[in-house]
Amino acid sequence: SRRSIETVQEQFDRAEEMEQVNILVNVANYDANHKVAVAGGAQWDQATPAIVKQVSAAKEAIRASTGRYPNRMAIAPNVFNALKASPEIADRFKYTSSASITTAMLASYFDIQEVVAGTDMYLPDTATDTDPTVSMLNNVAVLAYVPS
């Protein structure tokens, strides 16, 4: 049936997407100048992480390496939740909007064309019938220049 074919195609698409995500977030694919491990109080779910300073420094590092500023940021769902709960970011918008923090607001705050929160889930090949799905992205924010 058509629905069965669509379901199989969706599974193939999801597997390909997972392969691409694994390439993207594998820190072994980047040299020391192209990755930052954020630890301790600098993590974005902590009280005073200076998020915009970290993102600005990363943007400058990308510009120094490529000649272009990054125009895209992909963030894991748990990172998006941490940013939405961040006092630093909430303070920036408290007088201009009563809305919840959105990816568009984050793009404006970081001066990046687009911020995307990855929300896709997958079921690992080794999963049993009772295992839950797993987020494709976890504890990661990726800045990149992507040609339009």
Side-chain angles (χ1 to χ4, degrees):
S1 78
R2 180 178 175 186
R3 178 72 181 136
S4 297
I5 292 170
E6 289 174 353
T7 300
V8 170
Q9 183 61 47
E10 187 176 299
Q11 290 173 343
F12 282 123
D13 291 346
R14 186 66 42 114
E16 182 179 4
E17 184 178 0
M18 192 63 221
E19 287 177 26
Q20 294 168 346
V21 166
N22 285 333
I23 292 168
L24 178 69
V25 301
N26 183 349
V27 295
N29 291 334
Y30 303 96
D31 64 31
N33 294 329
H34 295 96
K35 60 186 172 189
V36 175
V38 180
Q43 291 181 337
W44 293 356
D45 62 350
Q46 300 301 305
T48 57
I51 298 165
V52 76
K53 288 181 182 178
Q54 292 177 20
V55 171
S56 295
K59 287 172 57 178
E60 289 302 327
I62 291 168
R63 185 176 72 90
S65 178
T66 67
R68 296 177 184 259
Y69 280 108
N71 59 353
R72 302 285 192 277
M73 177 188 261
I75 55 177
N78 62 322
V79 173
F80 185 41
N81 290 334
L83 292 173
K84 290 190 297 186
S86 165
E88 174 186 341
I89 292 172
D91 189 56
R92 166 66 173 80
F93 292 104
K94 71 181 176 184
Y95 297 116
T96 59
S97 176
S98 62
S100 296
I101 302 297
T102 65
T103 55
M105 293 165 89
L106 292 173
S108 172
Y109 182 62
F110 295 134
D111 193 22
I112 294 174
Q113 185 178 344
E114 183 179 29
V115 173
V116 177
T119 58
D120 284 349
M121 307 287 284
Y122 76 102
L123 194 58
D125 292 337
T126 58
T128 67
D129 289 344
T130 59
D131 287 339
T133 57
V134 179
S135 180
M136 285 191 182
L137 292 174
N138 193 27
N139 289 334
V140 67
V142 177
L143 278 169
Y145 173 78
V146 179
S148 298

